[in-house]
mmCIF file of all heavy atoms in Angstrom:
data_model
loop_
_atom_site.group_PDB
_atom_site.id
_atom_site.type_symbol
_atom_site.label_atom_id
_atom_site.label_comp_id
_atom_site.label_asym_id
_atom_site.label_seq_id
_atom_site.Cartn_x
_atom_site.Cartn_y
_atom_site.Cartn_z
ATOM 1 N N ASP A 278 -2.771 154.892 -20.907
ATOM 2 C CA ASP A 278 -1.485 154.252 -20.651
ATOM 3 C C ASP A 278 -1.370 153.838 -19.201
ATOM 4 O O ASP A 278 -0.883 152.748 -18.891
ATOM 5 C CB ASP A 278 -0.343 155.215 -21.029
ATOM 6 C CG ASP A 278 -0.305 155.503 -22.518
ATOM 7 O OD1 ASP A 278 -0.864 154.683 -23.271
ATOM 8 O OD2 ASP A 278 0.271 156.528 -22.919
ATOM 9 N N PHE A 333 -14.245 165.825 23.767
ATOM 10 C CA PHE A 333 -15.077 166.606 22.852
ATOM 11 C C PHE A 333 -14.206 167.387 21.867
ATOM 12 O O PHE A 333 -14.395 167.291 20.638
ATOM 13 C CB PHE A 333 -15.965 167.555 23.661
ATOM 14 C CG PHE A 333 -16.774 168.493 22.811
ATOM 15 C CD1 PHE A 333 -17.895 168.040 22.129
ATOM 16 C CD2 PHE A 333 -16.428 169.838 22.679
ATOM 17 C CE1 PHE A 333 -18.647 168.896 21.337
ATOM 18 C CE2 PHE A 333 -17.168 170.695 21.899
ATOM 19 C CZ PHE A 333 -18.276 170.228 21.223
ATOM 20 N N HIS A 336 -12.172 165.085 19.449
ATOM 21 C CA HIS A 336 -12.905 164.505 18.320
ATOM 22 C C HIS A 336 -13.241 165.558 17.264
ATOM 23 O O HIS A 336 -13.313 165.235 16.068
ATOM 24 C CB HIS A 336 -14.176 163.813 18.812
ATOM 25 C CG HIS A 336 -13.926 162.463 19.399
ATOM 26 N ND1 HIS A 336 -13.689 162.260 20.743
ATOM 27 C CD2 HIS A 336 -13.854 161.238 18.813
ATOM 28 C CE1 HIS A 336 -13.506 160.984 20.961
ATOM 29 N NE2 HIS A 336 -13.601 160.330 19.824
ATOM 30 N N GLU A 366 -3.641 164.461 -36.977
ATOM 31 C CA GLU A 366 -2.934 164.947 -38.163
ATOM 32 C C GLU A 366 -2.076 166.166 -37.848
ATOM 33 O O GLU A 366 -0.981 166.340 -38.401
ATOM 34 C CB GLU A 366 -3.921 165.275 -39.292
ATOM 35 C CG GLU A 366 -5.006 166.294 -38.929
ATOM 36 C CD GLU A 366 -6.228 165.658 -38.318
ATOM 37 O OE1 GLU A 366 -6.142 164.471 -37.921
ATOM 38 O OE2 GLU A 366 -7.261 166.349 -38.239
ATOM 39 N N PHE A 372 5.318 167.017 -35.196
ATOM 40 C CA PHE A 372 6.525 166.220 -34.977
ATOM 41 C C PHE A 372 7.406 166.163 -36.223
ATOM 42 O O PHE A 372 8.617 165.917 -36.110
ATOM 43 C CB PHE A 372 6.149 164.805 -34.543
ATOM 44 C CG PHE A 372 5.595 164.735 -33.150
ATOM 45 C CD1 PHE A 372 4.756 163.698 -32.759
ATOM 46 C CD2 PHE A 372 5.900 165.709 -32.208
ATOM 47 C CE1 PHE A 372 4.256 163.629 -31.464
ATOM 48 C CE2 PHE A 372 5.401 165.656 -30.914
ATOM 49 C CZ PHE A 372 4.581 164.615 -30.543
ATOM 50 N N VAL A 393 -5.080 180.889 -23.120
ATOM 51 C CA VAL A 393 -3.746 180.585 -22.593
ATOM 52 C C VAL A 393 -2.885 181.839 -22.638
ATOM 53 O O VAL A 393 -2.864 182.565 -23.641
ATOM 54 C CB VAL A 393 -3.083 179.442 -23.385
ATOM 55 C CG1 VAL A 393 -3.728 178.117 -23.067
ATOM 56 C CG2 VAL A 393 -3.110 179.713 -24.873
ATOM 57 N N LYS A 407 3.063 163.847 -24.265
ATOM 58 C CA LYS A 407 2.487 162.568 -23.830
ATOM 59 C C LYS A 407 0.972 162.571 -23.937
ATOM 60 O O LYS A 407 0.374 161.587 -24.359
ATOM 61 C CB LYS A 407 2.924 162.259 -22.403
ATOM 62 C CG LYS A 407 4.425 162.032 -22.263
ATOM 63 C CD LYS A 407 4.798 161.659 -20.843
ATOM 64 C CE LYS A 407 6.291 161.384 -20.728
ATOM 65 N NZ LYS A 407 6.691 161.009 -19.343
ATOM 66 N N PRO A 413 -3.186 173.955 -20.387
ATOM 67 C CA PRO A 413 -3.785 175.165 -19.818
ATOM 68 C C PRO A 413 -2.793 175.880 -18.908
ATOM 69 O O PRO A 413 -1.799 175.293 -18.461
ATOM 70 C CB PRO A 413 -4.986 174.627 -19.026
ATOM 71 C CG PRO A 413 -5.259 173.276 -19.599
ATOM 72 C CD PRO A 413 -3.938 172.746 -20.029
ATOM 73 N N ALA A 463 -0.297 167.082 22.069
ATOM 74 C CA ALA A 463 0.918 167.349 22.834
ATOM 75 C C ALA A 463 0.614 168.179 24.080
ATOM 76 O O ALA A 463 1.163 167.922 25.163
ATOM 77 C CB ALA A 463 1.936 168.068 21.952
ATOM 78 N N LEU A 467 1.023 166.774 28.014
ATOM 79 C CA LEU A 467 2.238 167.326 28.617
ATOM 80 C C LEU A 467 2.303 167.045 30.112
ATOM 81 O O LEU A 467 3.361 166.684 30.645
ATOM 82 C CB LEU A 467 2.307 168.835 28.350
ATOM 83 C CG LEU A 467 3.493 169.575 28.965
ATOM 84 C CD1 LEU A 467 4.806 169.018 28.417
ATOM 85 C CD2 LEU A 467 3.380 171.074 28.695
ATOM 86 N N ASN A 491 6.233 149.693 36.335
ATOM 87 C CA ASN A 491 6.117 148.298 36.702
ATOM 88 C C ASN A 491 5.370 147.550 35.598
ATOM 89 O O ASN A 491 4.881 148.149 34.636
ATOM 90 C CB ASN A 491 5.382 148.141 38.034
ATOM 91 C CG ASN A 491 6.199 148.722 39.174
ATOM 92 O OD1 ASN A 491 7.422 148.702 39.140
ATOM 93 N ND2 ASN A 491 5.501 149.231 40.181
ATOM 94 N N HIS A 521 2.857 176.833 2.795
ATOM 95 C CA HIS A 521 1.716 176.813 1.869
ATOM 96 C C HIS A 521 0.768 177.982 2.135
ATOM 97 O O HIS A 521 0.101 178.450 1.194
ATOM 98 C CB HIS A 521 0.989 175.479 1.961
ATOM 99 C CG HIS A 521 1.625 174.413 1.121
ATOM 100 N ND1 HIS A 521 1.402 174.305 -0.235
ATOM 101 C CD2 HIS A 521 2.509 173.441 1.437
ATOM 102 C CE1 HIS A 521 2.092 173.284 -0.723
ATOM 103 N NE2 HIS A 521 2.778 172.744 0.268
ATOM 104 N N ASN A 548 5.315 186.564 -9.827
ATOM 105 C CA ASN A 548 4.138 187.256 -9.292
ATOM 106 C C ASN A 548 3.096 187.529 -10.363
ATOM 107 O O ASN A 548 2.247 188.403 -10.201
ATOM 108 C CB ASN A 548 4.573 188.579 -8.636
ATOM 109 C CG ASN A 548 5.459 188.357 -7.430
ATOM 110 O OD1 ASN A 548 5.166 187.512 -6.589
ATOM 111 N ND2 ASN A 548 6.554 189.092 -7.345
ATOM 112 N N GLY A 549 3.151 186.790 -11.447
ATOM 113 C CA GLY A 549 2.226 187.039 -12.546
ATOM 114 C C GLY A 549 0.766 186.810 -12.215
ATOM 115 O O GLY A 549 -0.116 187.424 -12.816
ATOM 116 N N ASN A 551 -0.425 187.148 -9.026
ATOM 117 C CA ASN A 551 -0.667 187.783 -7.727
ATOM 118 C C ASN A 551 -1.709 188.891 -7.869
ATOM 119 O O ASN A 551 -1.496 189.881 -8.572
ATOM 120 C CB ASN A 551 0.642 188.359 -7.183
ATOM 121 C CG ASN A 551 0.542 188.720 -5.714
ATOM 122 O OD1 ASN A 551 -0.553 188.937 -5.186
ATOM 123 N ND2 ASN A 551 1.676 188.804 -5.044
ATOM 124 N N PHE A 562 -9.913 179.632 -1.372
ATOM 125 C CA PHE A 562 -10.913 179.286 -0.363
ATOM 126 C C PHE A 562 -12.314 179.782 -0.703
ATOM 127 O O PHE A 562 -13.259 179.431 0.005
ATOM 128 C CB PHE A 562 -10.483 179.839 1.000
ATOM 129 C CG PHE A 562 -9.381 179.056 1.641
ATOM 130 C CD1 PHE A 562 -8.065 179.281 1.307
ATOM 131 C CD2 PHE A 562 -9.666 178.074 2.569
ATOM 132 C CE1 PHE A 562 -7.038 178.551 1.889
ATOM 133 C CE2 PHE A 562 -8.661 177.338 3.159
ATOM 134 C CZ PHE A 562 -7.339 177.580 2.806
ATOM 135 N N TRP A 569 -14.880 178.541 4.535
ATOM 136 C CA TRP A 569 -13.416 178.546 4.575
ATOM 137 C C TRP A 569 -12.847 177.412 5.414
ATOM 138 O O TRP A 569 -11.901 176.755 4.980
ATOM 139 C CB TRP A 569 -12.910 179.897 5.081
ATOM 140 C CG TRP A 569 -13.072 181.016 4.095
ATOM 141 C CD1 TRP A 569 -13.477 180.915 2.805
ATOM 142 C CD2 TRP A 569 -12.849 182.411 4.332
ATOM 143 N NE1 TRP A 569 -13.526 182.151 2.209
ATOM 144 C CE2 TRP A 569 -13.135 183.091 3.122
ATOM 145 C CE3 TRP A 569 -12.432 183.149 5.437
ATOM 146 C CZ2 TRP A 569 -13.012 184.476 3.006
ATOM 147 C CZ3 TRP A 569 -12.303 184.528 5.319
ATOM 148 C CH2 TRP A 569 -12.589 185.181 4.107
ATOM 149 N N THR A 587 -1.560 191.724 -14.423
ATOM 150 C CA THR A 587 -1.710 192.771 -15.433
ATOM 151 C C THR A 587 -3.159 193.075 -15.740
ATOM 152 O O THR A 587 -3.454 194.053 -16.415
ATOM 153 C CB THR A 587 -1.003 192.361 -16.735
ATOM 154 O OG1 THR A 587 -1.528 191.101 -17.185
ATOM 155 C CG2 THR A 587 0.496 192.213 -16.512
ATOM 156 N N SER A 590 -7.134 196.626 -13.420
ATOM 157 C CA SER A 590 -7.415 197.946 -13.967
ATOM 158 C C SER A 590 -8.253 198.786 -13.027
ATOM 159 O O SER A 590 -8.536 199.943 -13.307
ATOM 160 C CB SER A 590 -8.153 197.809 -15.307
ATOM 161 O OG SER A 590 -9.377 197.120 -15.119
ATOM 162 N N ALA A 593 -13.100 196.316 -11.843
ATOM 163 C CA ALA A 593 -13.921 195.248 -11.288
ATOM 164 C C ALA A 593 -13.087 194.440 -10.308
ATOM 165 O O ALA A 593 -11.896 194.264 -10.512
ATOM 166 C CB ALA A 593 -14.452 194.330 -12.406
ATOM 167 N N GLN A 597 -15.472 189.304 -10.068
ATOM 168 C CA GLN A 597 -16.188 189.639 -11.295
ATOM 169 C C GLN A 597 -15.328 189.363 -12.517
ATOM 170 O O GLN A 597 -15.836 188.994 -13.571
ATOM 171 C CB GLN A 597 -16.626 191.104 -11.259
ATOM 172 C CG GLN A 597 -17.653 191.420 -10.177
ATOM 173 C CD GLN A 597 -18.102 192.850 -10.230
ATOM 174 O OE1 GLN A 597 -17.900 193.547 -11.225
ATOM 175 N NE2 GLN A 597 -18.693 193.322 -9.148
ATOM 176 N N LYS A 629 -6.275 195.817 -32.027
ATOM 177 C CA LYS A 629 -5.147 196.516 -31.438
ATOM 178 C C LYS A 629 -5.450 198.005 -31.455
ATOM 179 O O LYS A 629 -6.385 198.468 -32.095
ATOM 180 C CB LYS A 629 -3.851 196.268 -32.197
ATOM 181 C CG LYS A 629 -3.471 194.841 -32.597
ATOM 182 C CD LYS A 629 -3.762 193.781 -31.659
ATOM 183 C CE LYS A 629 -3.092 192.486 -32.051
ATOM 184 N NZ LYS A 629 -3.916 191.611 -32.797
ATOM 185 N N ILE A 644 4.020 206.535 -33.283
ATOM 186 C CA ILE A 644 2.977 205.553 -33.013
ATOM 187 C C ILE A 644 3.403 204.711 -31.820
ATOM 188 O O ILE A 644 4.425 204.049 -31.856
ATOM 189 C CB ILE A 644 2.705 204.645 -34.226
ATOM 190 C CG1 ILE A 644 2.301 205.500 -35.421
ATOM 191 C CG2 ILE A 644 1.671 203.598 -33.915
ATOM 192 C CD1 ILE A 644 2.087 204.711 -36.677
#
Side-chain angles (χ1 to χ4, degrees):
D278 294 339
F333 175 75
H336 281 92
E366 57 272 14
F372 289 155
V393 287
K407 295 183 178 180
L467 178 61
N491 294 328
H521 277 279
N548 296 314
N551 194 338
F562 285 83
W569 288 353
T587 56
S590 60
Q597 295 183 16
K629 313 322 192 265
I644 302 177

